[in-house]
Amino acid sequence: MTIRAPLCRSDCISIVLPTYNEAANVKLMIPLLSKILSSRGIIHEIVVVDDDSPDGTAEVAKALSVEYPVKVIVRRGVRGLASAVIRGFKETSCSYVVVMDADLQHPPHVVPRIFNALLRGCDIVVASRYARGGGVEGWGKLRLVESRAATSLAYMLIRESRRTTDPMSGFFGCRKEAVVVKGAARGFKILLEILHANPQAKVCDVPYLFRARMHGKSKLGLNTILDYLAQLVLRAFT
Ligand SMILES: Nc1nc2c(ncn2[C@@H]2O[C@H](COP(=O)(O)OP(=O)(O)OP(=O)(O)O)[C@@H](O)[C@H]2O)c(=O)[nH]1
Ligand SMILES: [Mg+2]
């Protein structure tokens, strides 16, 4: 699947929020994000892509759309982070797009910094845990080692991933006109797909602190790891 930019507004930013069972987080995240952007005069829209979460995430997001610029897409009978992000991209109407988690691990105050870097001419801006000044909060040794190992594997197998300190990041922005978003429907790591498909794009990093999850549960599991390995092998040879 390949997405090319349709005619878009260049004076605003679209935020894509993939969600699955994030009702408690979305309730806090959307007002916080929208207020931060509004206070800096940044026109924005928030596109929530929910996979029919049983905890009522979509209903919470829809209720917030009365007060905030929120559009809610509910996918039924489908699951998957990467495909949700791709669907979100298609629904955006601004030239600049930021993808971030809805669980507050990606701090909303970093979004204006990503937007500024895009305005300054970067095509892809990666919010990086591993750039100088970035970090992670609340991870045990095992999670740190897993993340580092996954990053090293990406560097080994996918040359285009070496342009950022954090190719596994789920928090990034891009200028839609400058990138082609190609992605398999499976998989978790959409940034890797974008880096691989856009070797000409100018990539910049913005450091940030990955926060501990306060509400809800992680969806990271064994399937995610297996999907990631399959994705690496596929992209290493295509
Ligand atoms: N639409 C959709 N969103 C998903 C799916 N899986 C995860 N998400 C969302 O994607 C974001 C990242 O998922 P997380 O489970 O937080 O993954 P993670 O941040 O790598 O892992 P933790 O640090 O353990 O939270 C969150 O906003 C999730 O709600 C899915 O299958 N469909
Ligand atoms: Mg998370």
Side-chain angles (χ1 to χ4, degrees), residues 101 103 105 210 213:
D101 293 357
D103 56 7
Q105 292 184 292
F210 184 89
R213 190 184 250 280

Side-chain angles (χ1 to χ4, degrees), residues 18-20 22 49 51 79-81 84 101-103 105 143 188 210 213 218-220:
T19 59
Y20 192 74
E22 302 287 4
V49 185
D51 287 355
R79 274 293 307 273
L81 176 52
D101 293 357
D103 56 7
Q105 292 184 292
R143 181 93 197 254
F188 220 62
F210 184 89
R213 190 184 250 280
S218 169
K219 282 98 215 169
L220 201 84

Side-chain angles (χ1 to χ4, degrees), residues 1 3 16-19 49 51 75 78-90 99 101 170 172 181-194 224 227-228 231 235:
M1 190 187 324
I3 303 171
V16 174
L17 289 186
T19 59
V49 185
D51 287 355
R75 304 193 308 164
V78 193
R79 274 293 307 273
L81 176 52
S83 65
V85 170
I86 290 173
R87 175 66 194 278
F89 256 90
K90 283 189 190 164
V99 176
D101 293 357
F172 61 93
V181 179
K182 261 204 296 199
R186 288 188 67 182
F188 220 62
K189 300 298 173 191
I190 189 72
L191 175 62
L192 261 186
E193 297 286 335
I194 294 176
T224 313
D227 274 353
Y228 171 62
Q231 182 186 9
R235 291 300 169 226

Side-chain angles (χ1 to χ4, degrees), residues 171-213:
F171 190 10
F172 61 93
C174 58
R175 192 162 62 84
K176 268 188 348 194
E177 258 179 18
V179 299
V180 173
V181 179
K182 261 204 296 199
R186 288 188 67 182
F188 220 62
K189 300 298 173 191
I190 189 72
L191 175 62
L192 261 186
E193 297 286 335
I194 294 176
L195 291 168
H196 180 262
N198 296 277
Q200 81 301 335
K202 182 177 176 196
V203 181
C204 309
D205 282 359
V206 163
Y208 84 102
L209 179 66
F210 184 89
R211 310 302 300 264
R213 190 184 250 280

